Amino acid sequence: MAQKEFSVVGKATPRIDGFERVTGKAEYTGDVQLPGMLYARVLRSPHPHAKILSIDTSKAEKLPGVKAIVHSFNTQVTWASGGLTQKRMIFNNPVRYVGDAVAAVAATDRYIAEDALELIEVKYEKLPYVLDAAAALKSDAPKIYPKGNLSVGDGRVTAPIREQWGDVEKGFKEADKVFEDTYISKHVNNAQMERRVSVAKWDGAKLTVYASTQGISNARGDIAKALDLPLSRVRVVCKYMGAGFGNKNQAQDYDMMTAVLAKTAGQPVKLEFTREDDFIGMHGRWASEQHYKVGVKKDGTITAVELNAITNMGAYRKQSGDLTGCDFYNIPNYKKVVSPTHTNTVVAANYRAPAYPQSVFGFASMLDQIAFDLGVNPYDMFLKNRVRVSKGKSQFTSNEMEACIVEGAKKIGWQEKWHPAGASKGAKLHGIGMALGGYPFRLGLGAATIRLNPDATAHVIVGVVDIGTGAKSTMAIIAAEALGIPLDQIQLASGDTDVTPYSIGESSSRTTSFTGTAVIAAAEDVRKQIFAVAARELEAKPEELDLKNGIVFLKSNPGQKMPLVKAIRKVESEIIGRATTNPTWPEGFDGKCFAAHFCEVEVDRFTGQVRLTRYVAAHDSGTIINRLTATSQVKGGVVQGIGMAFTEELLIDRPTATPINPNYRDAKVPTHLEVPEIEVLFVDASDPYGPFGGKPVGEPPITASVGTIANAIFNATGKRFKELPITPDKILRAIQV
Amino acid sequence: MDDKKGKGVSRRDFLKRVGAGSVGAAVISKGLLDAPGADAYPTEAVEPAKGRSIVSLKVNGKAYRIEVQHRQTLAEVLRDELGLTGTRIGCDRGECGACTVIIDGRNMYSCSQLAVWMSGKEILTVEGLAKGDKLDPIQQAFIDHDGPQCGFCTSGQIMSGKALLLRNPSPSEAQARRALSGNLCRCGNYNREVEAVLAAAKAR
């Protein structure tokens, strides 16, 4: 479907909740104030690995204002989504990293809760610990779990993660040259602006949790399971959400802590993480050590890739730990072995496109280096090897990677600006680089209800929360388009499990596809009911009718029409449409979004400082539902990549195993000053399985960014940086040699 | 907690160092004592408890006399006592700027200002920008240019932008960026926020 056929889809539409967001009226979880509400704080382990022998709370309990103290000796609650392979409690004994939760206190104000933490006496028996993933896999390393530190466990996922197709040995034999190298990425924190926060209250046996979650339905399920409550007795509400980038999926330990504290105290409780809690108490992106072996023909065509890698999951394996940066290339023979490994460090889990930017950095650097060694222009290298087949076997339902590469390169002026790496001279070295990215486009379970009111306005009832992507607006736009009524006639009811149907949650870039598909189906249900009524009035068959802009008309004769309001009046009540959809790919097909990024840098030869001078991001995300918010998504993803490429790294003081930069200033997230204008280009695309042809936008933008920047620095300096972040000191050391 | 090392100065440590709090005292917030015209009442009318003081200040043009804990920050008082939750707290340690308000014409981090320092000050928060339903041009520009993604930093970005426009009605792009540089946006929406401030300048 060409975009011009749409009335709302494909335009640049301001958010439907923009007014609330710019006036301060948007109610975030931390803004919820309940009568008699207590404030909670969390005590965390100062040791990387220790058995807790005793917890003495007697002094803390005597502090006036303290109402409840919970810890591993009085509270045994399993945090099901906290560990995929090992059973993880909300308070663990032994504690396994500096920052592992030990106790939580609820008191009449925040200060008393903080004072009480200092009065809790914990006796620890220190255990041996290990900080590095490679060291943790050695046979004599301290064991964090009985089975050892490779994250095997007995859970839903395995270790190592293996994937293969073709025959790599055959592929390497066919190669003219075989290259091997190792790339390293570090742990970086999601660092979303809204600290983690939860408010819980009990009304008899019913628990309400005002959560800061990316998915209210899954959060409800997790909380019900953890506290052994029926789903009907758990209500999860999230009206506005201050982002998460993957670290607020489902329910988190603090949601359960808050619920238990509220139960114990008999009063509502608000638990706010401090910014330091947020950096060390939850998780960031997994660090990795990636060893590649790549076989190529003389012209750069890949014949085989073997990846052996270790990912550092910290003390618990909350998510996969995979590396998937090879997904964007055509690799006839492939073998991957990734070992997610436990160490006594901060947990690593989902951060926007969890397995991508770090491995795109590794593999795109690898290919860029091979292109240099072969004397091939990187543009030709990437274009030649771009992915055509999914996982070595499936067809893509749509694939505009070629257009992304061609149009992005044209926009930045690749052919005019590119020069061999290291050819730039002078005080400021110019460089240009590129890399490929994208993200899976998935199909799955969605649900929506649409209530068409007697005045022809509509309520769209969906379980989404808008974590910043613009999902609420996207749902409203899809509904307006599918129903055939103006966008300003649509209200969205969302973010409350007592009211809204199931939604997968805003993670893994699935909302537009999963819930958007259901919104279209619910709208079709509404239209069917309308057409049944209107058909009698217009003396036509229902299937001959259409509805656009609030008018029902005969498709073959648009002059034969009636206003929607009049049709609804015939029903004498509101019209409810609903749908649950769960589409799947046809056999042999798979979905993906694609991206090609390009940037130019200027490296100061005397300070090692890098200035990003230009950035072009070209994306195939199918039909763009809302060009305004989609463009913002791309810009934002690139900015996070800028932080990862240049500055961000969780530093751990080795003698104490303690993170030393768990705050914004020292974590060095990008500011207004480091970010150039990011030029966003959506190539003409449409996918037959996406709602109105749309594919995801949320995660793809970060995937290619780090590799793009790294390759531009190589082009400027002629030096290959194989470890993130690429800081001025590393650059200076390399170029002064 | 004694063997925690290598931490920066937290807001709490900072407050302790300035000797603000009587640690552990039982405190029940008396909150808002009076609203409009509160200045007319003498300070002695209510005897504050230990570790607390009465502060007279103006917020969004409205006079307040409130009893605050010495260790309470302006951000906490705005949010918890005055119900002005549009001022967000992102780090509570003077790094992120989500809590930015305008104090006597200057944009400042309200998490790093003690409430007791606010006597006689005029404070403008995001709630004070619109006149009824009529948005300030900078708010409208933030909607039109998609200034908020998650929106959590938005109030702070808007207040820093507003403070800039108050002192410089037609800033250059570089000036706008510089003026907003104390406001982090982890959604990475920096292009949009600068765009919005420049558009607001043109709309005046």
Side-chain angles (χ1 to χ4, degrees):
Chain A
M1 225 188 291
Q3 298 209 352
K4 60 179 181 299
E5 291 175 35
F6 298 123
S7 58
V8 218
V9 162
K11 299 193 163 48
T13 310
R15 288 165 198 256
I16 58 167
D17 52 3
F19 180 87
E20 288 76 9
R21 289 174 189 270
V22 302
T23 52
K25 287 184 167 59
E27 190 181 55
Y28 292 82
T29 304
D31 302 336
V32 172
Q33 290 285 106
L34 301 173
M37 191 178 77
L38 304 173
Y39 294 85
R41 284 286 191 263
V42 180
L43 179 68
R44 298 185 178 280
S45 170
H47 302 298
H49 199 193
K51 198 173 157 194
I52 300 175
L53 301 175
S54 65
I55 299 179
D56 181 355
T57 58
S58 54
K59 283 184 193 152
E61 281 163 32
K62 287 194 190 97
L63 186 66
V66 172
K67 300 290 183 184
I69 304 177
V70 293
H71 48 73
S72 56
F73 290 97
N74 66 11
T75 303
Q76 297 284 318
V77 172
T78 306
W79 175 15
S81 57
L84 287 177
T85 51
Q86 280 83 13
K87 184 168 165 152
R88 184 176 181 188
M89 316 295 285
I90 62 170
F91 300 111
N92 293 283
N93 190 5
V95 285
R96 297 184 178 92
Y97 69 100
V98 172
D100 215 346
V102 171
V105 177
T108 47
D109 80 20
R110 298 179 182 89
Y111 295 93
I112 297 173
E114 287 179 17
D115 293 339
L117 294 186
E118 296 185 8
L119 297 174
I120 297 174
E121 289 171 0
V122 185
K123 282 212 173 71
Y124 297 96
E125 180 192 316
K126 293 188 199 176
L127 300 171
Y129 63 90
V130 58
L131 301 177
D132 299 318
L137 288 177
K138 291 196 174 132
S139 57
D140 59 346
K143 279 195 168 75
I144 303 169
Y145 293 96
K147 286 183 182 172
N149 299 329
L150 179 66
S151 182
V152 179
D154 44 12
R156 289 182 282 139
V157 291
T158 54
I161 301 164
R162 294 176 197 277
E163 190 170 34
Q164 76 179 84
W165 57 78
D167 178 347
V168 283
E169 292 316 319
K170 184 174 137 273
F172 289 129
K173 277 193 201 115
E174 286 166 10
D176 292 324
K177 243 182 147 183
V178 175
F179 296 84
E180 286 194 61
D181 222 327
T182 301
Y183 287 84
I184 291 169
S185 76
K186 300 297 181 70
H187 181 110
V188 296
N189 194 273
N190 303 40
Q192 80 298 331
M193 298 303 294
E194 180 193 40
R195 296 170 294 160
R196 291 173 180 76
V197 55
S198 187
V199 180
K201 67 160 183 162
W202 291 83
D203 298 291
K206 178 155 183 181
L207 170 67
T208 301
V209 180
Y210 299 89
S212 171
T213 178
Q214 296 179 217
I216 50 170
S217 305
N218 293 339
R220 179 181 71 150
D222 281 355
I223 294 167
K225 195 171 166 192
L227 303 177
D228 197 20
L229 293 166
L231 288 171
S232 61
R233 296 276 190 199
V234 181
R235 177 186 177 207
V236 176
V237 182
C238 182
K239 291 295 181 189
Y240 283 87
M241 208 277 206
F245 313 113
N247 64 15
K248 292 176 180 168
N249 295 344
Q250 302 134 347
Q252 306 294 346
D253 56 355
Y254 53 91
D255 293 313
M256 272 76 86
M257 287 176 198
T258 314
V260 174
L261 283 169
K263 184 95 180 167
T264 309
Q267 285 170 267
V269 172
K270 179 189 282 183
L271 194 165
E272 299 153 302
F273 272 18
T274 64
R275 182 48 63 184
E276 181 180 318
D277 281 335
D278 219 284
F279 269 91
I280 68 170
M282 194 48 57
H283 69 247
R285 185 184 301 283
W286 47 85
S288 64
E289 202 178 307
Q290 314 159 24
H291 184 79
Y292 293 97
K293 185 175 171 188
V294 181
V296 287
K297 292 283 191 191
K298 266 185 233 133
D299 67 354
T301 306
I302 298 171
T303 61
V305 174
E306 192 175 340
L307 166 60
N308 283 288
I310 304 172
T311 48
N312 184 345
M313 306 312 289
Y316 303 93
R317 187 167 168 201
K318 201 171 177 301
Q319 267 108 11
S320 78
D322 202 355
L323 293 167
T324 44
C326 296
D327 280 13
F328 309 111
Y329 303 92
N330 215 47
I331 302 172
N333 302 289
Y334 183 60
K335 185 178 175 192
K336 173 173 86 175
V337 181
V338 178
S339 300
T341 302
H342 289 298
T343 61
N344 295 106
T345 60
V346 175
V347 177
N350 286 352
Y351 173 12
R352 199 172 191 165
Y356 285 92
Q358 66 274 53
S359 55
V360 167
F361 156 71
F363 194 61
S365 296
M366 192 77 202
L367 289 188
D368 192 63
Q369 184 64 46
I370 293 170
F372 179 80
D373 292 344
L374 295 175
V376 173
N377 187 316
Y379 174 85
D380 299 322
M381 183 81 182
F382 285 107
L383 186 63
K384 188 191 305 283
N385 289 300
R386 72 183 190 282
V387 67
R388 283 118 164 145
V389 177
S390 182
K391 305 281 181 199
K393 58 176 197 294
S394 302
Q395 299 301 305
F396 292 115
T397 49
S398 62
N399 178 357
E400 300 296 340
M401 180 67 104
E402 184 179 358
C404 291
I405 298 171
V406 172
E407 292 178 32
K410 199 171 156 202
K411 189 165 175 75
I412 202 159
W414 181 277
Q415 299 304 351
E416 304 85 75
K417 287 174 179 168
W418 182 80
H419 49 75
S424 179
K425 300 288 174 220
K428 309 272 190 198
L429 308 172
H430 169 267
I432 186 165
M434 67 177 286
L436 307 184
Y439 196 75
F441 163 35
R442 298 189 167 99
L443 302 179
L445 188 62
T449 302
I450 295 178
R451 199 173 75 203
L452 190 63
N453 298 311
D455 63 353
T457 63
H459 279 85
V460 176
I461 308 165
V462 282
V464 304
V465 287
D466 192 331
I467 62 171
T469 54
K472 284 184 198 166
S473 307
T474 305
M475 292 304 117
I477 291 168
I478 290 175
E481 189 71 49
L483 281 169
I485 67 173
L487 180 61
D488 63 6
Q489 302 294 299
I490 300 219
Q491 281 285 309
L492 210 74
S494 63
D496 182 342
T497 57
D498 264 12
V499 179
T500 55
Y502 174 82
S503 170
I504 184 77
E506 275 183 81
S507 57
S508 211
S509 296
R510 293 176 292 192
T511 302
T512 302
S513 153
F514 286 30
T515 307
T517 299
V519 168
I520 293 177
E524 277 161 8
D525 189 15
V526 168
R527 286 163 65 97
K528 220 168 99 188
Q529 297 176 55
I530 285 289
F531 294 155
V533 178
R536 287 195 296 272
E537 299 295 314
L538 294 170
E539 294 171 353
K541 289 183 184 143
E543 59 272 21
E544 293 170 343
L545 299 180
D546 199 356
L547 165 58
K548 263 184 193 159
N549 217 10
I551 307 286
V552 185
F553 59 93
L554 202 62
K555 275 184 253 183
S556 57
N557 177 19
Q560 201 174 331
K561 61 184 178 180
M562 71 188 292
L564 177 59
V565 182
K566 223 175 132 193
I568 304 169
R569 219 171 280 149
K570 298 287 168 196
V571 186
E572 290 177 348
S573 90
E574 56 197 25
I575 292 170
I576 309 280
R578 57 166 301 282
T580 300
T581 46
N582 195 2
T584 50
W585 300 117
E587 187 63 31
F589 281 86
D590 201 358
K592 200 179 264 321
C593 306
F594 303 91
H597 285 199
F598 303 82
C599 79
E600 287 180 78
V601 297
E602 208 177 76
V603 179
D604 187 313
R605 204 156 62 81
F606 302 106
T607 66
Q609 289 282 350
V610 184
R611 201 165 69 84
L612 255 184
T613 51
R614 230 185 135 194
Y615 202 105
V616 171
H619 282 252
D620 162 14
S621 281
T623 303
I624 302 304
I625 308 288
N626 184 351
R627 302 193 85 84
L628 190 65
T629 52
T631 302
S632 300
Q633 284 294 295
V634 176
K635 286 170 178 272
V638 171
V639 171
Q640 291 176 339
I642 290 172
M644 201 176 148
F646 286 124
T647 48
E648 292 179 48
E649 171 184 8
L650 183 75
L651 297 168
I652 293 181
D653 174 52
R654 301 191 68 88
T656 60
T658 303
I660 56 171
N661 58 345
N663 57 70
Y664 279 129
R665 188 194 55 200
D666 300 325
K668 301 203 181 301
V669 303
T671 76
H672 274 283
L673 300 178
E674 288 87 49
V675 175
E677 172 72 18
I678 291 145
E679 298 162 59
V680 180
L681 196 156
F682 291 113
V683 302
D684 194 21
S686 179
D687 191 284
Y689 291 85
F692 298 116
K695 296 196 281 185
V697 184
E699 275 154 301
I702 195 174
T703 57
S705 55
V706 187
T708 300
I709 293 167
N711 286 345
I713 296 173
F714 172 73
N715 185 254
T717 60
K719 304 291 176 188
R720 180 65 60 185
F721 297 92
K722 299 175 187 171
E723 183 186 298
L724 295 175
I726 307 172
T727 50
D729 61 308
K730 289 179 187 169
I731 293 173
L732 214 46
R733 243 177 285 144
I735 59 183
Q736 284 181 347
V737 168
Chain B
M1 300 288 283
D2 289 341
D3 40 0
K4 272 197 183 181
K5 285 189 187 111
K7 307 279 165 94
V9 179
S10 73
R11 174 192 55 84
R12 178 173 171 75
D13 292 339
F14 169 75
L15 293 181
K16 277 185 176 170
R17 255 172 247 168
V18 298
S22 67
V23 178
V27 275
I28 297 156
S29 169
K30 291 204 177 68
L32 183 61
L33 289 184
D34 210 338
D39 281 337
Y41 294 86
T43 311
E44 301 76 50
V46 179
E47 190 65 32
K50 188 165 176 271
R52 306 173 73 94
S53 285
I54 289 172
V55 178
S56 299
L57 72 167
K58 255 192 186 170
V59 182
N60 300 333
K62 204 164 150 185
Y64 293 91
R65 283 189 68 235
I66 49 172
E67 189 183 304
V68 300
Q69 292 188 53
H70 291 166
R71 54 189 182 179
Q72 269 179 307
T73 64
L74 173 60
E76 287 172 337
V77 167
L78 288 172
R79 291 175 52 79
D80 298 342
E81 312 292 346
L82 305 186
L84 297 170
T85 53
T87 297
R88 321 283 180 199
I89 301 177
C91 67
D92 211 13
R93 44 180 289 151
E95 294 174 348
C96 78
C99 66
T100 303
V101 298
I102 296 180
I103 303 174
D104 287 345
R106 290 180 60 199
N107 53 322
M108 299 181 91
Y109 293 165
S110 63
C111 78
S112 304
Q113 299 290 322
L114 289 175
V116 289
W117 298 343
M118 291 299 113
S119 257
K121 305 271 188 203
E122 282 201 34
I123 293 147
L124 181 64
T125 73
V126 72
E127 288 92 345
L129 290 177
K131 304 279 172 274
D133 275 351
K134 190 167 165 35
L135 295 176
D136 187 279
I138 194 167
Q139 291 174 306
Q140 189 57 50
F142 263 71
I143 293 178
D144 298 342
H145 293 266
D146 205 34
Q149 280 195 33
C150 83
F152 204 81
C153 75
T154 302
S155 301
Q157 304 277 357
I158 287 177
M159 296 317 285
S160 284
K162 179 73 184 175
L164 168 69
L165 297 179
L166 286 173
R167 62 178 187 269
N168 177 5
S170 15
S172 67
E173 190 196 321
Q175 286 169 328
R177 273 210 217 180
R178 173 66 62 185
L180 298 183
S181 63
N183 293 81
L184 299 180
C185 171
R186 187 56 165 172
C187 295
N189 217 21
Y190 293 129
N191 285 178
R192 300 298 209 186
E193 290 140 5
V194 169
E195 243 175 76
V197 170
L198 296 175
K202 283 207 182 104
R204 286 153 66 96

